[in-house]
Amino acid sequence: MPGSDPTPQHGPGQEPRTRPRGRIFQASTMTAMLEGVYEGTTTIAELCRHGDFGIGTFDRLDGEMIVLDGRCYRLRADGTAGEADPSAPTPLAAVTYFHGEYDWRLTEPIDAAGLRTVIDNWLPSHNLFYAVRVDGHFDHMVTRMLPEQHRPYSRLIDAVAGQVVSTHTDLQGTVVGFRSPTHMLGVAAAGYHLHFLSNCRTRGGHAYDFVLRSGRVRVDVGYELLLRLPCTQDFRSAQLGRGDIAGEIEAVLQGGSRT
Ligand code: ZN
């Protein structure tokens, strides 16, 4: 209709008219998480208007997020798992519409480090974002979840000391996440940030290490980033960008610590 708004209009529970390629929406930054900006300002309903695939955490770190095929799952440290309430806020999440532009099969067992190297070698450039999806059979999967945080908030590297680590064996599932370029360090992880969700949708979390027996690897290129910064007092007053950002992100995502 002439004069009508061309912007796709859709709300919670409704399908968007388009599924744009190459666009990532992110709420807040890794650097804000390092400094304890844990209170969510973007709801799951808002987040899912920007994509059907992604990862994140929940308000006060209470649960690991996996967005897969348009559904947002919340896995908590107490072992409870299920679809997230659309009104639940997230302090850090990234989503995209996943298309699976690159599609590879792996038939030999490979661990997490090996898979990262294989994907790195496949990618046409390391300067872009990539959404990474791995569906397969995992001989071994180590995941972690963080317990809910309370004020005064610890810095993330200290909060990780209270993590709950789980080891799963012989299960089917999906690794969901992103590879972010080094020049985006601080906004994102600069490297891989991967979560896992079992096919039964009840096991998973932040993926530390795994052995993939065989599976399908799909990757999308991301070249647009829509970044929403929190307008909270915590974010305004946080000392963002201090310290060893690269080292702390590596420690909190790959399972290390300062000690
Ligand atoms: Zn994570």
Side-chain angles (χ1 to χ4, degrees):
M1 191 171 87
S4 64
D5 182 357
T7 305
Q9 299 293 315
H10 49 84
Q14 293 178 279
E15 284 294 311
R17 289 179 190 165
T18 61
R19 299 175 70 252
R21 290 178 182 268
R23 183 182 302 168
I24 296 167
F25 171 86
Q26 183 172 310
S28 195
T29 67
M30 274 304 304
T31 303
M33 296 301 289
L34 293 181
E35 298 300 335
V37 184
Y38 298 150
E39 295 192 3
T41 54
T42 299
T43 66
I44 301 310
E46 286 180 273
L47 185 72
C48 290
R49 285 200 285 275
H50 295 279
D52 57 11
F53 174 96
I55 57 173
T57 185
F58 290 89
D59 199 43
R60 290 168 281 132
L61 308 185
D62 186 15
E64 300 284 341
M65 180 194 298
I66 296 104
V67 180
L68 184 60
D69 297 328
R71 294 176 180 271
C72 181
Y73 298 91
R74 180 175 194 168
L75 293 94
R76 285 190 166 103
D78 64 4
T80 58
E83 286 195 43
D85 184 334
S87 66
T90 171
L92 180 74
V95 294
T96 189
Y97 284 106
F98 194 80
H99 296 270
E101 295 161 359
Y102 296 87
D103 193 340
W104 301 286
R105 305 275 174 171
L106 285 174
T107 56
E108 298 290 329
I110 192 166
D111 65 11
L115 182 63
R116 289 195 294 264
T117 301
V118 165
I119 296 173
D120 278 353
N121 290 336
W122 283 335
L123 298 176
S125 167
H126 291 173
N127 294 335
L128 296 160
F129 289 94
Y130 296 95
V132 177
R133 173 173 181 160
V134 183
D135 295 277
H137 191 108
F138 294 82
D139 287 334
H140 185 75
M141 171 61 70
V142 181
T143 58
R144 77 104 186 275
M145 286 166 286
L146 298 175
E148 183 179 4
Q149 303 295 301
H150 301 281
R151 285 187 184 274
Y153 295 125
S154 302
R155 300 185 71 246
L156 187 57
I157 194 140
D158 297 316
V160 165
Q163 67 187 350
V164 175
V165 176
S166 303
T167 300
H168 315 280
T169 55
D170 197 23
L171 80 174
Q172 299 269 353
T174 304
V175 166
V176 172
F178 294 91
R179 184 195 191 281
S180 303
T182 303
H183 62 89
M184 287 290 158
L185 175 67
V187 172
Y192 290 85
H193 185 179
L194 304 174
H195 288 190
F196 174 76
L197 184 66
S198 65
N199 276 10
C200 62
R201 305 298 192 239
T202 58
R203 289 187 281 174
H206 176 96
Y208 268 156
D209 198 14
F210 53 80
V211 175
L212 172 68
R213 187 185 302 172
S214 62
R216 181 183 186 187
V217 180
R218 283 176 283 176
V219 172
D220 276 351
V221 180
Y223 47 84
E224 284 185 63
L225 177 64
L226 176 57
L227 180 63
R228 177 180 291 173
L229 297 177
C231 295
T232 59
Q233 185 56 40
D234 281 356
F235 184 80
R236 288 180 182 136
S237 61
Q239 295 180 55
L240 303 181
R242 64 172 164 159
D244 176 14
I245 294 173
E248 291 196 10
I249 290 176
E250 172 77 12
V252 300
L253 295 187
Q254 305 304 334
S257 71
R258 271 193 301 206
T259 54

